[in-house]
Structure formats: C-alpha cells, structure tokens
C-alpha cells in the first residue's frame, strides 16, 4: 500500500513521552504519580491536547474527563477508528504504562498529516480517565462511562481522604449529573485499537519487540476486613488471643497456595493494614485487598468461592469475624479476530515474526471489546517490570509498536475487516 510509506518519528515519540514523564515525577524515587482528577492528570491532558490541536484535531473533554482528539475523514459520517489508552498512573509508577499508547496515537495522526494522508474514516485519539483505579479502588472509569457501563451509584466510591468520585469530578470542573452523556453509540465506532507495554516477560523471552494480544484476563478485587480483639502483646496468652492479623496471614497463605496450584490463575495481596498499629499491641482489625485474575472466568470464580469458604473456616477457628466487599469484577474478554488479523499483517509487513499472547493485566480495551471490534498491540517490557519507577521499554521497540499501530489504522481504514 502506498499509505504504508507513512512512518512515525521515533525520536519525537520518545521526546513527547519524556515530556509527559516530567508531570507527576517524584523527586525522591523518580517514579510518576498522576491520580484521577488530580492537577497532575489535568496537566498531562493539557499537554496532549496541545499536541492534538497542533495537527488540526478537534479536542474535547467529555462528561467524565476523557480527552478526545478527532481528525475528520473523507467520509465524516462514517464510523470512527479509535486509538486509546490512559494518562493516569499508579502511585510512584513508570513512564510508559498508558502514556505510550496515547502518545503513539498522537504520533500516528502526526505522521499522516505530515505525509498528506487523509483517511476515509474519522480517526480519534482518546486518553481515558482513571484506568488504573489507584485513587478510588475502582478502575477504568473513563472507558466504562464511554460504553455506558459506569453507574452513578459507583460515583459514591471514596478515596483514602474521603473524597468520593463525584466530589472529585466536581472539583475538577465536571458535572457528575451528566455522566450518561459520555456514553458513545457503538454504531459510531468502526474499531478500537490500543497500544500498551506488555508489563510481562513473554515478548522479552521470545526475543520480539511487539506482539498481538488475543484476550484480556478479568480482574476481581476484594476488600477483606478481619476483626478480632486488641490486647497486650506481653500479657495475653496465645490460647486466649483473637488475633485478626494471624487469621489474615493464614487466609493470605491459603490464597497464595490455591493460585499456585493453577497455572492460569494469579492472585495478589497488594495492601494490608493492621490497627491500631502498635508494635506491642495485638491488633483489633486487619484489612487487606485481593486481586484475582484469569483468562477463564469460571476458573477465577471457582477460586474465589473456595477462598471465601476457607476465610470463613479460618475466622471461625481463630475466634474472629471476616467480611468481604467486592470492589471490582470484570469479565475476561476475547479480542476481535478480524482486528487481530489486521494487526498481525502490520507486524508481518515490518519483517517481525507475528506472535500472539494474552494479557494478564486489565486495559480499557476490555471495556470497548464488549461493544465494538477491538484489538491490542503489546510492546516488549524490559524485565517485565511495570508499576515501578524503573519500568522501561526500548525506544526502538516503542517506535516499532507505534508503526504497527499506524499501519493497522491505515489498513482498517482502506481495506476493512
């Protein structure tokens, strides 16, 4: 195809990624913190909006804060091809997670403009709000609102400082009462593409810079509270203790062992707190989180039920109580085979061996995949490291990933699915 002469500028791609990486940079660690509806997230969106406006895109921010830049095509009434990811981060995260996908979308549009390529379909680049869920414990707010799967009830979730999502939206300048207006009609979308770092070691082990994602595991988040009885650490005999931390430790050990029995399941306890928190005090309350994931929903849910039963058993044996609150439950999704074939062709056209793999991490793509044809491209991660300041992907790998994205968009536009 003649259009495939269009190429992204790898140096500019990295320069823009570095510029974004300065927003929310923590001087002590070098990590990046851009939480949902924060000033850092606002600054990042403004920077990206400026780049989009420079290439002639129409830029808007919808009711939930999703940043959308649109370049019209020859057939403006045609459904749009969407490119998206996110700009928010976990606390003390890395430079590539989410941001690479947004910047690669900007670069794809820039490359098309520089070479005078006008597509038939409108092209949109979207930075979705709060993919990570790091602030409110309920992620993918922007993409769920975009497909009409975010309820007003969920806006009552609060962060560690007591701010609800609705309150944070108002402080940001948004109106929670307009939430439903962020919903996009599926008929207005031809396809959705997302470029993301792998956040794992599979591509590195294969010696490949990019891969084609086949499916996305469904995350299940649980918030567990174990309550017992506080007491003096020196004067309370072991046989008389109702120690919630010892009970929680047994629960966590069981979860780890149960997940290790099944190759297709991963389980993580990423946060735990014991109260009152004195070195010489038996806690009265322990709270911890559970992140349970699998490509097969039935397998994941079976592990969940086994875990819930064992937690009740452990609590009864140790004389404590346990309560479990569901924070996040998403279905695993298979990505569109036709879109994946287009991505595979783009990979092959660059002389790279096409390789298919699933994603253990959740992405905004899993929300859109329920309604529109969706595909994902992975870029190799050094050491599989992510959600850390030392997260890194090689600049050449990033360029190749952006090139696959660009070619996929052009093929989808001209040749279809």
């Amino acid at each position: 195809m003649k259009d495939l002469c269009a190429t992204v500028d790898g140096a500019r791609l990295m320069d823009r990624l570095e510029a974004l990486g300065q927003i929310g940079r923590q001087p002590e660690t070098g990590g990046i913190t851009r939480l949902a509806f924060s000033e850092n997230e606002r600054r990042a969106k403004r920077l990206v909006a400026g780049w989009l406006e420079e290439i002639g895109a129409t830029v808007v921010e919808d009711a939930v804060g999703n940043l959308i830049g649109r370049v019209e095509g020859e057939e403006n009434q045609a459904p749009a091809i969407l490119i998206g990811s996110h700009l928010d981060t976990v606390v003390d995260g890395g430079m590539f997670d989410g941001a690479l996908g947004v910047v690669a979308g900007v670069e794809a549009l820039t490359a098309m403009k520089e070479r005078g390529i006008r597509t038939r379909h409108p092209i949109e680049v979207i930075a979705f709000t709060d993919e990570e869920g790091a602030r409110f414990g309920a992620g993918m707010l922007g993409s769920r609102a975009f497909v009409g799967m975010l309820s007003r009830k969920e806006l009552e979730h609060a962060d560690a400082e007591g701010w609800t999502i609705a309150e944070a939206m108002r402080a940001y300048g948004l109106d929670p009462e307009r939430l439903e207006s962020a919903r996009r009609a599926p008929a207005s979308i031809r396809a959705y593409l997302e470029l993301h770092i792998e956040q794992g070691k599979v591509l590195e082990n294969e010696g490949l810079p990019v891969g084609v994602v086949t499916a996305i595991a469904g995350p299940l988040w649980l918030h567990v509270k174990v309550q017992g009885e506080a007491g003096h650490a020196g004067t309370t005999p072991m046989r008389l203790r109702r120690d919630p931390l010892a009970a929680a430790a047994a629960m966590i050990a069981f979860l780890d062992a149960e997940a290790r029995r099944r190759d297709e399941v991963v389980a993580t306890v990423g946060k735990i707190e014991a109260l009152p928190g004195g070195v010489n005090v038996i806690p009265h309350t322990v709270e911890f989180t559970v992140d349970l994931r699998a490509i097969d929903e039935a397998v994941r849910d079976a592990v969940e039920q086994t875990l819930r039963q064992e937690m009740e058993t452990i609590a009864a044996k140790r004389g404590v109580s346990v309560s479990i609150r569901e924070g996040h439950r998403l279905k695993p999704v298979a990505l569109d085979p036709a879109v994946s074939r287009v991505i595979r062709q783009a990979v092959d056209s660059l002389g790279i061996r096409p390789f298919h793999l699933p994603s253990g991490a959740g992405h905004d793509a899993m929300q859109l995949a329920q309604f529109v044809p969706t595909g994902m491209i992975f870029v190799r991660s050094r050491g599989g490291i992510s959600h850390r300041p030392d997260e890194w992907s090689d600049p050449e790998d990033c360029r190749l990933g952006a090139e696959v994205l660009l070619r996929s968009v052009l093929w989808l536009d001209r040749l279809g699915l």
Side-chain angles (χ1 to χ4, degrees):
M1 276 180 82
K2 178 179 181 293
D3 284 352
L4 293 184
C5 294
T7 56
V8 298
D9 185 327
R12 183 173 56 203
L13 174 76
M14 292 306 298
D15 286 346
R16 286 176 165 169
L17 200 57
E18 290 279 0
L20 266 177
Q22 299 308 308
I23 300 174
R25 179 81 66 180
Q26 306 300 295
E28 302 84 4
T29 64
I32 300 166
T33 301
R34 290 196 297 262
L35 300 182
F37 307 116
S38 67
E39 184 58 29
N40 283 336
E41 189 193 38
R42 187 195 303 274
R43 290 174 56 206
K45 287 179 179 177
R46 283 176 176 168
L47 182 60
V48 172
W51 294 333
L52 289 166
E53 288 167 349
E54 285 174 5
I55 57 176
T58 301
V59 181
V60 298
E61 199 167 3
D62 71 13
V64 78
N66 295 323
L67 181 74
I68 305 170
R70 178 181 172 103
V71 173
E72 299 294 352
E74 295 170 349
E75 302 172 14
N76 288 339
Q77 300 306 310
I81 297 172
L82 274 51
I83 305 167
S85 199
H86 60 98
L87 296 173
D88 66 296
T89 72
V90 298
V91 175
D92 212 27
M95 185 176 76
F96 296 82
D97 183 352
L100 175 60
V102 175
V103 173
V106 174
E107 277 302 318
L109 288 181
T110 305
M112 283 187 262
K113 179 178 181 181
E114 289 175 341
R115 287 154 183 81
I117 297 171
R118 190 175 184 196
T119 56
R120 290 171 50 202
H121 297 79
I123 311 294
E124 297 181 20
V125 172
I126 305 178
F128 287 112
T129 294
D130 195 13
E131 188 268 357
E132 295 288 3
R135 179 173 179 183
F136 300 101
M140 304 184 201
L141 298 182
S143 53
R144 286 196 286 143
F146 194 77
V147 297
M149 296 295 287
L150 181 67
S151 69
R152 292 196 189 186
K153 179 68 175 177
E154 291 179 86
L155 301 186
E156 297 174 10
H157 282 295
D159 64 13
E161 297 180 357
W163 282 72
T164 66
I165 297 173
E167 290 169 340
M169 288 176 68
R170 290 189 188 96
Y172 189 83
L174 302 170
D175 181 2
E177 298 300 314
R178 296 186 59 248
L179 174 65
E180 288 77 8
S181 70
R183 183 179 182 275
R184 184 73 168 267
S188 71
I189 302 169
R190 178 168 181 75
Y192 173 75
L193 292 170
E194 183 166 351
L195 172 74
H196 206 282
I197 57 171
E198 182 196 347
Q199 302 174 283
K201 298 181 180 180
V202 175
L203 290 175
E204 186 175 62
N205 289 341
E206 291 289 329
L208 294 170
V210 296
V212 184
V213 184
T214 56
I216 305 174
L220 166 62
W221 292 357
L222 301 175
H223 299 268
V224 183
K225 178 184 284 189
V226 187
Q227 293 181 288
E229 184 176 69
H232 194 290
T235 62
T236 309
M238 298 301 290
R239 71 180 186 280
L240 299 180
R241 295 187 180 204
R242 295 173 52 220
D243 186 344
L245 184 53
M251 295 171 185
I252 294 167
F254 176 83
L255 171 64
D256 182 76
E258 187 67 14
R260 288 177 184 273
R261 290 197 311 110
R262 307 166 184 262
D263 289 340
E264 66 271 40
V265 176
V266 292
T268 305
V269 173
K271 182 178 179 181
I272 186 167
E273 182 180 21
L275 299 173
V279 67
N280 60 345
V281 181
I282 301 167
H284 58 72
T285 303
V286 171
E287 296 188 48
F288 64 93
T289 59
V290 172
D291 183 318
L292 190 62
R293 305 183 187 219
I295 294 295
D296 188 321
E297 184 178 19
V299 171
R300 181 200 68 187
D301 291 355
V303 173
E304 177 203 0
Q305 290 307 311
T306 301
L307 173 64
R308 285 177 178 267
Q309 293 168 8
E310 185 64 18
M311 284 179 169
E312 293 288 352
T313 300
I314 291 170
K317 285 181 179 179
R318 292 181 174 270
V320 299
S321 65
V322 60
S323 59
I324 305 168
R325 176 174 61 85
E326 183 179 303
H328 198 48
R329 182 188 294 270
L330 297 177
K331 291 179 178 293
V333 297
L335 298 182
D336 188 85
V339 178
S340 295
R341 281 195 297 272
V342 171
I343 296 171
R344 178 189 174 95
Q345 291 170 352
V347 172
D348 188 58
S349 74
L350 289 167
I352 301 168
R353 173 170 64 91
F355 182 79
H356 294 77
L357 72 166
S359 172
H363 301 285
D364 291 310
M366 68 192 305
Q367 300 299 328
L368 280 87
Q370 300 175 67
F371 300 92
V372 300
T374 296
M376 279 198 77
I377 304 156
F378 268 170
V379 171
R380 175 168 48 191
S381 295
R382 184 177 66 187
I385 293 170
S386 185
H387 285 187
R388 283 172 27 185
D390 53 343
E391 172 183 279
W392 181 259
S393 288
D394 185 82
E396 178 61 10
D397 291 355
C398 294
R399 185 192 70 81
L400 288 170
E403 190 69 36
V404 170
L405 176 68
L406 171 60
R407 295 185 181 208
S408 297
V409 168
L410 293 173
W411 255 314
L412 284 169
D413 177 63
R414 296 294 178 181
L415 302 181
L417 298 174

